[in-house]
Amino acid sequence: MNPEISYIIASVQRSGTHLLCSILRSTGAAGSPEEYFLSKPGETWEKRWGTPSREAYVQQILRQNTEANGVFGAVVMWSYFETMLQMLQEIPAYRNLNGAQLLAAVLNTPKYIWMRRRNHVEQAVSWEIACQTGIWTQSGKEKFQPRTVPKFDFKVIDEWCKRIAAHEAGWENYFRKNGIEPLVLFYEDVVASHRTAAERVLEFLQLPIPSGMKIHPPIVEKQATGISRKWTESYLKFKRKKTSSLTRIIGRMRI
């Protein structure tokens, strides 16, 4: 089944996409968004999932995950967005298309939901802790044990902050160049009101709000811990010191 209504949740890692997807699935009207176009470096979708061809993989994803009401949703991170486009371009039917035109052809002119996070430091800390522990999501049913005790490193977190800013700028530039006006959602607001987030998405997609819609508690749990807060405070403290030192150095150079 090809989608009649499709959307892409455009984001950067640790922005709350798992939470948003859980909320949208619980509406029963917004499909079942996932990272269907994720691939590891040097890996193709057809190789990873054992489909006869890349075109067959795309058709299978659309057929299996387009709901009865014709809605299909997918999550895409900026970190592999270009790779996703390149892999789609290698399908003969899409060879002469690129960017937004390409996705319009593949997904029947999708709308875009830009899932963001206001606090980039907390986002960077979350990303680094996930990398060190190997735990990217946590649910009430499954409790994973960290593969190592995470250790604070200012330089690494600072690099994550820079990467987040660059990836956010990438999405912003993509939307601007293609004249796309996405629905912008912030993680902090989604956490504050799951129902409001669901209603905003359904309205954006021009889908009716189901009668008696209930938003069930998300399967995924918020992963912020005392360590997260401590690391955020430590990072900001180090950053202020470095900024103050740099300001003093520049001041002395001007004398």
Side-chain angles (χ1 to χ4, degrees), residues 55-255:
E55 185 175 13
Y57 172 78
V58 174
Q59 291 175 345
Q60 176 179 299
I61 286 298
L62 294 177
R63 183 176 64 254
Q64 293 180 350
N65 299 286
T66 298
E67 296 296 324
N69 64 350
V71 178
F72 173 83
V75 177
V76 179
M77 301 295 174
W78 182 259
S79 58
Y80 59 81
F81 183 51
E82 286 299 323
T83 300
M84 170 188 168
L85 294 178
Q86 289 170 9
M87 290 177 68
L88 288 173
Q89 281 178 319
E90 291 171 2
I91 297 174
Y94 307 127
R95 191 160 290 159
N96 297 320
L97 301 174
N98 54 59
Q101 283 185 326
L102 174 60
L103 293 179
V106 175
L107 300 177
N108 190 23
T109 314
K111 292 190 175 183
Y112 291 81
I113 299 167
W114 191 6
M115 184 68 181
R116 311 178 66 184
R117 193 162 177 165
R118 290 191 179 93
N119 193 319
H120 285 184
V121 176
E122 290 182 354
Q123 184 176 354
V125 165
S126 177
W127 203 339
E128 175 57 12
I129 290 176
C131 285
Q132 289 194 37
T133 62
I135 300 174
W136 293 88
T137 60
Q138 197 77 276
S139 69
K141 294 181 179 179
E142 296 179 292
K143 293 294 182 183
F144 299 104
Q145 294 301 314
R147 63 189 177 199
T148 186
V149 177
K151 296 181 180 179
F152 175 82
D153 188 321
F154 171 83
K155 290 183 178 179
V156 174
I157 295 173
D158 201 45
E159 284 302 313
W160 284 126
C161 285
K162 292 174 183 176
R163 182 177 298 189
I164 289 166
H167 289 196
E168 286 274 294
W171 279 124
E172 184 175 16
N173 185 55
Y174 172 77
F175 295 139
R176 184 176 61 252
K177 285 176 60 177
N178 292 284
I180 295 169
E181 292 188 16
L183 169 65
V184 180
L185 294 179
F186 286 98
Y187 167 75
E188 292 83 354
D189 298 334
V190 173
V191 169
S193 178
H194 298 170
R195 185 176 184 85
T196 298
E199 289 178 348
R200 287 190 64 194
V201 171
L202 293 178
E203 181 180 3
F204 179 67
L205 298 177
Q206 297 182 323
L207 292 168
I209 296 175
S211 177
M213 181 180 74
K214 293 183 179 180
I215 306 300
H216 303 293
I219 296 174
V220 294
E221 294 181 354
K222 188 176 181 180
Q223 290 185 261
T225 63
I227 293 177
S228 304
R229 290 185 288 273
K230 184 177 180 180
W231 281 23
T232 298
E233 292 170 0
S234 296
Y235 172 85
L236 292 172
K237 184 178 180 180
F238 274 99
K239 192 71 172 179
R240 283 193 294 267
K241 285 184 178 180
K242 285 184 172 291
T243 301
S244 297
S245 297
L246 182 60
T247 300
R248 286 196 298 271
I249 292 170
I250 293 173
R252 286 197 293 269
M253 291 174 64
R254 290 177 175 173
I255 296 175

